[in-house]
Amino acid sequence: MTQDETATTGERVSLWGGRFAGGPADALAELSRSTQFDWRLAPYDLDGSVAHARALHRAGLTRHLIDASDGYKAEDLAELHARGIGISNLVPRASARADELTAEELAAAPARLDALVAAHAPAVVAVLGVTAYRQAFGRPKAALGEQQTPWPGTRLFVAPNPSGLNAHATLDSLAADYRAAGAAAGLVD
C-alpha cells in the first residue's frame, strides 16, 4: 500500500506515520512511494524490522540500538543516511517470500539497482535475501557473501533476509553478514 492508497480499514496510511511536521524530504517521499505495505505481512515485517535494527547495531553500523518496533523514526533514518547506509528493495512491492515475486519483477530488479547505484555511487550494495538475488541476477548457485559486481567501484554482497519468516538466520549470523558488508564500505573495522 502506498501513501495514496487506503488500508483495508478504510483509513489513509503513510509509511512514515506522519512523523514529519513539514512532510518528508523528497528522497524519503520517493522511497515511501517505492515500497508498499501489505497487512498480511505486518507481523513478519515488524519482526524483520526489529531483527534488522538489532543486527545493524550488533554489526557496529549504528551508534545506538534503534527501536524499530514502530518502524524507523526520522532520526533513525537520518543516522543511517549520515553513516552512508541507504535502504531500498529489489522489487518495489511487498511480498512474504521470494517465490511470490514474478519472473518479470525479478528480471527488472538489476536495472532498478543499476539506476540506484548510478545515482548514489555507493561503496557497497548489500542485497538481503539470497533466493531473490539468485533469481534476479540469474545466479542459481550464489551463496551468501561477496559477489561478482556489475558496478565498477561498488562491491556487491548478499546477506540473509531479516524477515520473521527466515528461520535460518540468527541475530548473530545477520550481524556477521552485515558487518562484512559494512567493513567493505569502510564503516567498521
Side-chain angles (χ1 to χ4, degrees):
M1 172 169 299
T2 65
Q3 285 184 323
D4 298 323
E5 293 176 314
T6 304
T8 56
T9 62
E11 65 181 284
R12 290 177 56 82
V13 296
S14 168
L15 289 177
W16 300 106
R19 292 186 180 100
F20 300 95
D26 291 343
L28 290 178
E30 181 180 340
L31 176 62
S32 185
R33 286 188 298 276
S34 79
T35 58
Q36 297 178 348
F37 187 83
D38 187 329
W39 290 104
R40 299 171 303 138
L41 304 178
Y44 304 109
D45 189 44
L46 179 58
D47 290 345
S49 293
V50 170
H52 186 245
R54 288 181 178 159
L56 287 172
H57 184 64
R58 191 169 287 186
L61 298 174
T62 59
R63 290 176 174 77
H64 71 279
L65 179 58
I66 294 171
D67 177 6
S69 61
D70 191 29
Y72 286 86
K73 295 174 181 62
E75 58 270 19
D76 300 328
L77 293 170
E79 178 186 349
L80 292 173
H81 180 75
R83 297 283 321 238
I85 299 169
I87 299 174
S88 187
N89 49 17
L90 285 177
V91 174
R93 74 171 180 89
S95 65
R97 298 179 315 273
D99 64 1
E100 291 182 354
L101 302 173
T102 68
E104 293 79 17
E105 289 173 315
L106 288 166
R112 185 171 188 275
L113 284 181
D114 287 347
L116 287 170
V117 169
H120 301 286
V124 171
V125 168
V127 174
L128 306 185
V130 69
T131 302
Y133 171 80
R134 288 173 179 158
Q135 294 170 355
F137 285 80
R139 307 258 340 262
K141 305 251 187 238
L144 297 173
E146 190 163 8
Q147 310 295 313
Q148 182 177 1
T149 183
W151 309 294
T154 298
R155 294 170 72 179
L156 173 61
F157 284 77
V158 173
N161 189 323
S163 167
L165 293 174
N166 187 354
H168 303 293
T170 66
L171 187 56
D172 287 334
S173 69
L174 288 170
D177 286 313
Y178 296 176
R179 185 172 189 79
L187 297 175
V188 294
D189 297 326

